[in-house]
């Protein structure tokens, strides 16, 4: 089993809220251009009492037709920020079929890269910013339309629109593309020294730059801004303001426009796409390339001499699961070598083509010299017939692979990584001289003995500054080591705290005759120990006392309620004494269970955790008791325990995918109960339906066999291990696997998994102890588990 780390990407909560708001129809008059059936002219029709229904239908059809006619002329404009990230979205519209687009100046931003996409999804390359006017917030863009002309809108001429005129505005409000909103012109007034059309309609970010059209489809204005005090009030720039801009154009080509952070084309060539920028001597990449795996290269235009020579660069990754580093022997396309960090390892790869099937990983090694999330110095020494690859001046890879022997040099990135590079250089010998032994020993002693960073005087700082980069790097390495040591101390403190609880859990289920086991308390005791091992602050005695109190409260209701039920269900005089006794006993057991149901599910509100089913709290008995919410199996543990305390025989039934319980009466009668559904009694047909739902097959007698206490707790732990695995929470995976091995010491695969987790978390010696135990059981390995390989990989850490 292999473990890795990744960053989860969730939908922004604000985006979710906006989407829900939109789908629920709270957007008022806003309608999607994909759903033109909304009667946007109906309000106007209702104002005229003499308008007939047929007239309304004609108005609706006209509006639908108008939307269909305008939509092909709309474009979506997406702008990148200073660091290459998405900055915003706006709207534009075609004013000339040859490729002129009108929008707001603030939509495209000054000097920002942006893209233009038609409503049909066609990307239009931007040729130039044909004209711009910051004072009036207007811009005209020229795009390349190829052989196909665009559909242009008609621009209104003459007087400003009259007050009360019905209009439609088109745009991408809040990023919701191709939307339409209906309203009216409420006024034409001066705003900040400019004449503006005041609109009675909702205007949101993303509407900016969109056209405001009348019922004939003529553009009256360009949406400019929304009111700061009223969501149903916006403003548009009169379309007449666009005329002087068209008459006095001053085209600026797109490559000149995007002057911020651009790479110097005389120094660099981008291969396989991607977005590369340079600021203050730092080169960064912010988008996946077009190559397989998001590969993108930035190749230097500098000439490369014959070997030997060095290629050197400093690199920092934003995400250690990514990859970025040096490219060399490149043919300017898909073929090159790459030396780079990836997932914390240093990798040398020969890329012989466009797909992963033509890539050869020559070396992939872990190096303690690589500093995660820090600037790292990479250097490749190219010699005749040999390559040497260094990280922070430590040799990590040496190769004699000669499939590629010449070509260009540069930098490369993969996937969604957003790396930074600085000080790229090539030369005959770029190796940095090593630190003196005295300085190296002094740095290694920081944090130990009498050497403390807080006591360093200025003269020492000045002395170290003579080798600033190298010393700074080694100081950061020492800081990382101290942080790791501190984390190991924290881990050890937690392990010491949990050790007696784990021992108690193991003793609870140690092999012994069933007659000597207090089964009535073992299940709940084990469940509470699982909670306490997860969180040692759990007070076991307090929860055991609470369960005793709950049982007493239920028992207090038994007497009167059962007597009443017995009176109501008295048997006929003709029944035998034995039959009456059996029926009364069964009724008594059933009545007690129903009192238990009422206490838990009606009076105290215990319920199934449907809203957050996979929340870990649903699997811990202490949280289930506190929050009164849980999974079927944890609610069942509570139910079984209380039932046993009250003298009822309640068994756990592990149906596939859904845990239920079964009450067994002294008469032999049985009743399945779904505690996740408030204690609902399940018929045979209902139980079969559950199995069909979760397992896709009919129920079998084995599905109805009672689960032992150990079986139940094992299922709880498997649930918890699954949750931790999905969340990639190594610490939680280890705690829960530790409990599993404690309960099942002979489960080899779980012991091997624990060894892996111990190794990953730095518990190296204990990882080796697990591996040694597995090898003791079966010297040749167990079912193909790579035990010896893992043990060998731990040796460097053990030696250190």
């Amino acid at each position: 089993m292999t473990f890795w780390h990744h960053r989860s990407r969730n939908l922004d909560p604000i985006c979710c809220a906006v989407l829900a708001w939109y789908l629920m129809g709270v957007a008022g008059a806003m309608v999607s251009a994909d759903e033109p059936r909304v009667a946007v002219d109906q309000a106007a029709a209702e104002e005229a009492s003499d308008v007939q229904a047929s007239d309304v239908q004609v108005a609706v059809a006209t509006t639908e037709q108008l939307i269909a006619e305008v939509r092909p002329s709309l474009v979506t404009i997406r702008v990148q920020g200073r660091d290459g990230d998405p900055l915003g979205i706006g709207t534009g519209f075609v004013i000339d079929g040859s490729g002129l687009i009108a929008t707001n100046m603030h939509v495209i931003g000054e000097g920002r890269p942006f893209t233009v996409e038609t409503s049909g999804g066609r990307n239009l390359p931007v040729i130039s910013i044909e004209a711009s006017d910051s004072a009036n917030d207007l811009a005209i863009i020229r795009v390349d339309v190829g052989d196909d002309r665009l559909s242009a809108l008609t621009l209104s001429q003459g007087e400003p629109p009259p007050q009360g005129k019905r209009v439609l505005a088109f745009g991408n409000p809040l990023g919701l593309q191709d939307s339409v909103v209906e309203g009216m012109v409420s006024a034409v007034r001066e705003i900040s020294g400019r004449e503006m059309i005041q609109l009675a309609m909702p205007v949101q970010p993303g509407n900016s730059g969109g056209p405001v059209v009348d019922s004939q489809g003529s553009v009256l204005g360009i949406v400019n801004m929304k009111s700061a005090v009223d969501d149903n009030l916006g403003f548009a720039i009169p379309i007449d303001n666009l005329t002087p801009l068209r008459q006095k154009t001053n085209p600026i080509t797109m490559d000149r426009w995007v002057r911020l952070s651009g790479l110097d084309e005389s120094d660099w060539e981008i291969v396989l796409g991607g977005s590369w920028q340079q600021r203050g001597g730092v080169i960064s990449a912010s988008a996946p390339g077009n190559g397989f795996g998001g590969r993108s290269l930035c190749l230097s235009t500098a000439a490369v001499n014959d070997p030997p020579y060095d290629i050197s660069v400093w690199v920092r990754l934003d995400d250690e699961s990514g990859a970025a580093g040096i490219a060399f022997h490149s043919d300017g396309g898909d073929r090159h070598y790459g030396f780079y960090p990836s997932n914390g390892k240093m990798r040398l790869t020969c890329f012989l083509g466009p797909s992963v099937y033509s890539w050869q990983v020559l070396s992939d090694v872990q190096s303690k010299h690589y500093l995660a999330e820090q600037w790292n110095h990479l250097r490749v020494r190219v010699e005749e017939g040999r390559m040497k690859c260094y990280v922070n001046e430590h040799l990590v890879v040496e190769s004699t692979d000669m499939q590629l022997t010449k070509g260009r040099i540069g930098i490369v990135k993969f996937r969604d990584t957003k790396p930074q590079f600085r000080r790229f250089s090539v030369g005959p010998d770029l190796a940095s001289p090593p630190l003196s032994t005295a300085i190296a020993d002094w740095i290694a002693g920081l944090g130990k003995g009498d050497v403390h960073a807080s006591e360093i005087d200025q003269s020492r700082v000045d002395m170290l500054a003579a080798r600033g980069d190298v010393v700074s790097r080694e100081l950061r390495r020492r800081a990382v080591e101290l942080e790791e040591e501190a984390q190991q101390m924290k881990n050890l403190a937690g392990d010491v705290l949990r050790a007696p609880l784990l021992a108690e859990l193991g003793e609870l289920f140690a092999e012994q005759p069933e007659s000597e086991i207090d089964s009535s308390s073992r299940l709940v005791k084990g469940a509470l120990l699982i909670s306490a091992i997860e969180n040692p602050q759990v007070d076991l005695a307090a929860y055991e006392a609470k369960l005793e109190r709950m049982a007493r409260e239920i028992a207090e209701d038994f007497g009167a309620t059962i007597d009443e039920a017995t009176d109501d269900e008295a048997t006929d005089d003709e029944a035998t004494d034995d039959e009456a006794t059996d029926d009364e006993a069964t009724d008594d057991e059933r009545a007690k269970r129903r009192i238990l149901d009422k206490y838990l599910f009606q009076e105290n509100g215990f319920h199934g955790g449907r809203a957050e089913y996979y929340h870990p709290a649903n699997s811990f008995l202490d949280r289930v008791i506190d929050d009164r919410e849980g999974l079927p199996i944890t609610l069942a543990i509570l139910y079984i325990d209380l039932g046993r305390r009250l003298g009822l025989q309640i068994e756990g039934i592990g149906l596939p995918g859904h845990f239920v319980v079964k009450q067994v009466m002294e008469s032999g009668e049985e009743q399945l109960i779904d505690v996740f559904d408030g204690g609902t009694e399940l018929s045979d047909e209902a139980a079969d339906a559950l199995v069909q739902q979760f397992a896709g097959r009919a129920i079998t007698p084995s599905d109805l066999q009672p689960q032992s206490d150990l079986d139940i707790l094992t299922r709880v732990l498997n649930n918890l291990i699954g949750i931790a695995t999905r969340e990639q929470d190594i610490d939680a995976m280890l705690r829960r696997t530790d409990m599993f091995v404690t309960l099942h010491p002979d489960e080899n695969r779980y012991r091997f998994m624990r060894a892996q987790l111990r190794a990953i978390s730095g518990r190296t010696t204990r990882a080796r102890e697990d591996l040694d135990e597995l090898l003791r059981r079966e010297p040749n390995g167990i079912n193909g588990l790579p035990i010896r390989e893992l043990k060998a990989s731990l040796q460097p850490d053990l030696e250190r």
Side-chain angles (χ1 to χ4, degrees):
M1 185 178 295
T2 302
F3 302 107
W4 64 95
H5 171 74
H6 72 283
R7 292 185 178 179
S8 300
R9 294 187 176 183
N10 296 322
L11 193 60
D12 191 308
I14 296 176
C15 294
C16 290
V18 169
L19 185 58
W21 166 79
Y22 178 76
L23 294 177
M24 290 169 60
V26 184
M30 188 184 301
V31 298
S32 169
D34 289 326
E35 300 179 14
R37 293 178 294 169
V38 177
V40 293
D41 277 354
Q42 190 169 356
E46 290 173 350
E47 293 176 1
S49 59
D50 58 339
V51 176
Q52 301 297 315
S54 59
D55 295 328
V56 175
Q57 293 170 2
V58 171
V60 174
T62 302
T63 301
E64 293 176 346
Q65 183 180 5
L66 177 59
I67 292 172
E69 291 174 355
V70 171
R71 185 179 181 185
S73 302
L74 303 177
V75 299
T76 299
I77 300 173
R78 291 184 174 85
V79 186
Q80 292 182 8
R82 294 171 68 93
D83 298 320
D85 297 325
L87 180 65
I89 184 172
T91 308
F93 57 96
V94 181
I95 59 174
D96 188 304
S98 65
L100 290 184
I101 309 290
T103 187
N104 290 141
M105 177 69 180
H106 80 261
V107 166
I108 62 174
E110 188 171 357
R112 298 284 191 254
F114 60 87
T115 60
V116 175
E117 180 185 339
T118 68
S119 60
R122 177 186 173 193
N123 288 311
L124 301 173
V126 180
I127 299 173
S128 64
I129 288 72
E130 197 75 358
S132 59
D133 182 350
S134 298
N136 286 304
D137 194 22
L138 292 172
I140 299 175
I141 306 162
R142 181 172 292 280
V143 296
D144 185 356
V145 299
D147 297 330
D148 300 323
R149 288 180 63 85
L150 301 176
S151 175
L153 296 180
T154 302
L155 307 186
S156 177
Q157 297 179 353
E159 296 296 321
Q163 195 172 33
K165 188 176 185 65
R166 292 281 173 177
V167 292
L168 296 177
F170 295 77
N172 305 299
L174 300 171
L176 301 170
Q177 288 185 254
D178 297 332
S179 296
V180 187
V181 61
E182 187 261 354
M184 68 168 62
V185 175
S186 59
V188 177
R189 65 176 73 252
E190 186 176 300
I191 304 291
S192 300
R194 292 185 296 167
E195 185 180 75
M196 302 288 284
I197 303 172
Q198 181 177 312
L199 304 170
M201 62 171 60
V203 172
Q204 297 291 344
N207 276 123
S208 293
V212 177
V213 305
D214 61 17
S215 58
Q216 284 73 48
S218 295
V219 181
L220 304 177
I222 302 175
V223 177
N224 169 254
M225 60 182 175
K226 63 171 289 186
S227 168
V229 296
D230 192 329
D231 287 338
N232 290 311
L233 186 63
F235 297 91
I237 303 167
I239 198 62
D240 283 349
N241 290 0
L242 201 62
T243 301
L245 207 58
R246 296 189 67 180
Q247 294 173 346
K248 289 188 177 182
T249 60
N250 182 28
I252 300 175
T253 59
M254 190 60 179
D255 58 344
R256 286 177 51 213
W257 177 263
V258 186
R259 57 186 178 275
L260 292 176
S261 309
L263 288 172
D264 190 332
E265 293 182 358
S266 63
D267 293 332
W268 298 99
E269 178 189 357
I270 297 172
V271 177
L272 299 179
S275 178
W276 296 80
Q277 298 177 322
Q278 185 170 15
R279 296 176 58 195
V282 175
I283 296 175
S284 60
S286 59
N290 301 325
F292 186 89
R295 179 171 49 147
S296 174
L297 291 90
C298 187
L299 297 179
S300 172
T301 59
V304 180
N305 296 323
D306 292 334
Y309 61 85
D310 284 348
I311 310 161
S312 170
V313 73
W314 289 76
V315 63
R316 181 169 64 183
L317 303 184
D318 68 313
D319 182 354
E320 292 301 326
S321 66
I326 294 175
F328 60 103
H329 289 349
S330 169
D331 67 349
D334 290 311
R335 295 167 62 87
H336 63 91
Y337 286 109
F339 173 58
Y340 48 89
S342 178
N343 283 313
K345 294 184 177 182
M346 301 307 302
R347 180 175 293 181
L348 176 64
T349 302
C350 182
F351 298 89
L352 296 174
S355 76
V356 69
Y357 302 108
S358 57
W359 300 358
Q360 298 176 14
V361 177
L362 303 176
S363 184
D364 189 37
V365 297
Q366 195 89 34
S367 174
K368 66 179 182 180
H369 302 293
Y370 175 76
L371 303 177
E373 301 179 357
Q374 304 285 335
W375 282 103
N376 287 273
H377 181 214
L378 307 186
R379 182 166 63 91
V380 173
R381 177 72 175 172
V382 179
E383 301 176 347
E384 287 289 349
R386 183 171 59 173
M387 299 171 285
K388 294 181 177 179
C389 302
Y390 298 80
V391 59
N392 295 322
E393 290 305 325
H394 293 274
L395 180 65
V396 291
V397 176
E398 187 169 359
S399 174
T400 57
D401 186 272
M402 288 289 111
Q403 297 179 78
L404 304 175
T405 56
K406 62 181 179 178
R408 299 172 63 183
I409 60 174
I411 48 183
V412 62
K413 61 147 293 189
F414 303 86
R415 301 190 282 279
D416 238 348
T417 319
K418 297 178 181 178
Q420 293 179 304
F421 303 86
R422 61 183 174 91
R423 295 171 59 180
F424 178 87
S425 57
V426 59
D429 185 358
L430 301 178
S432 299
L435 289 176
S436 67
T437 302
I439 293 179
D441 291 345
W442 180 84
I443 292 175
L446 280 173
K448 298 179 180 179
D450 296 328
V451 183
H452 297 283
S454 62
E455 300 172 356
I456 306 304
D457 59 24
Q458 187 61 44
S459 63
R460 171 72 69 170
V461 172
D462 293 340
M463 183 269 291
L464 296 173
R467 296 293 309 280
D469 268 354
V470 178
V471 171
S472 177
R473 182 186 66 219
E474 293 305 313
L475 287 170
R476 287 198 303 270
R477 182 199 313 284
R478 182 63 189 136
V480 169
E481 291 173 351
L482 290 172
E483 289 169 359
E484 291 176 350
E485 290 175 14
Q487 185 59 52
Q488 292 300 319
M489 289 290 187
K490 293 177 183 178
N491 290 343
L492 182 58
D495 294 345
V496 169
L497 200 58
R498 293 182 176 92
L501 297 171
L502 277 168
E504 188 175 355
L505 180 66
E507 291 168 2
L508 194 63
F509 289 90
E511 291 185 8
Q512 54 183 300
E514 287 294 325
S515 59
E516 299 179 11
I517 299 175
D518 181 9
S519 181
S520 64
S521 62
R522 187 175 60 172
L523 175 62
V524 75
K525 178 74 171 179
L528 287 173
L529 279 169
I530 289 174
S531 295
I533 293 166
E534 183 78 14
N535 175 18
Q537 305 307 315
V538 171
D539 188 337
L540 294 174
Y543 283 99
E544 290 172 345
K546 188 168 185 176
L547 289 169
E548 281 289 342
R549 185 169 62 253
M550 292 170 70
R552 286 198 304 270
E553 291 173 356
I554 300 170
E556 289 173 359
D557 292 336
F558 274 7
T561 306
I562 293 174
D563 289 342
E564 182 179 343
T566 303
D567 292 340
D568 292 340
E569 299 176 11
T571 57
D572 294 337
D573 292 338
E574 298 173 352
T576 66
D577 290 341
D578 289 340
E579 289 172 340
T581 301
D582 289 342
D583 290 343
E584 288 173 2
T586 300
D587 291 341
D588 180 69
E589 292 171 284
R590 186 180 291 111
K592 285 183 177 181
R593 193 253 301 164
R594 287 173 178 165
I595 293 170
L596 171 60
D597 291 344
K598 181 180 179 183
Y599 176 86
L600 284 177
F601 307 120
Q602 296 179 28
E603 296 176 358
N604 287 284
F606 283 87
H607 60 282
R610 290 177 170 82
E612 297 178 279
Y613 189 86
Y614 292 107
H615 195 293
N618 284 333
S619 294
F620 294 115
L621 187 59
D622 65 309
R623 291 293 304 274
V624 172
I625 293 172
D626 289 341
D627 303 340
R628 308 188 182 195
E629 178 179 344
L631 290 180
I633 193 166
T634 41
L635 288 171
I637 291 171
L638 176 63
Y639 196 91
I640 292 169
D641 180 72
L642 289 174
R644 288 173 176 175
R645 292 174 191 266
L646 297 167
L648 302 176
Q649 185 178 347
I650 308 290
E651 299 174 342
I653 305 297
L655 296 180
H658 193 72
F659 203 91
V660 298
V661 300
K662 177 170 67 177
Q663 182 182 17
V664 180
M665 268 69 79
E666 291 183 5
S667 63
E669 184 180 338
E670 297 179 348
Q671 176 61 61
L672 289 175
I673 304 139
D674 190 349
V675 291
F676 191 71
D677 195 24
T680 301
E681 294 183 355
L682 293 175
S683 64
D684 293 343
E685 293 76 14
D688 182 68
L690 282 174
V691 175
Q692 289 283 1
Q693 176 185 349
F694 290 105
R697 60 171 174 79
I699 196 169
T700 64
S702 62
D703 294 325
L704 297 173
Q705 293 301 307
Q707 301 254 291
S708 69
D709 292 346
L710 182 58
D711 290 338
I712 294 172
L713 295 182
T714 299
R715 188 160 170 164
V716 169
L717 287 174
N718 271 322
N719 287 340
L720 284 168
I721 292 171
I723 292 170
T725 302
R726 284 192 295 272
E727 295 177 349
Q728 291 297 301
D729 187 338
I730 298 297
D731 291 335
M733 291 170 69
L734 176 55
R735 287 193 301 272
R736 297 162 192 180
T737 305
D738 218 354
M739 288 187 264
F740 194 101
V741 174
T742 298
L743 291 177
H744 300 279
D746 295 329
E747 285 283 353
N748 294 325
R749 289 192 173 274
Y750 279 85
R751 185 176 291 274
F752 181 69
M753 185 167 76
R754 185 174 72 173
Q756 286 183 298
L757 292 166
R758 282 176 165 178
I760 292 170
S761 62
R763 297 166 171 88
T764 311
T765 298
R766 278 175 281 168
R768 185 178 63 177
E769 289 173 351
D770 273 334
L771 298 174
D772 287 342
E773 172 61 19
L774 289 170
L775 291 173
R776 184 191 66 76
R777 296 176 184 180
E778 178 54 64
N780 296 322
I782 299 174
N783 298 325
L785 294 177
I787 300 170
R788 296 184 186 278
E789 292 88 336
L790 179 55
K791 184 176 179 180
S793 72
L794 298 178
Q795 195 58 37
D797 285 340
L798 291 169
E799 292 174 353
R800 184 174 60 178

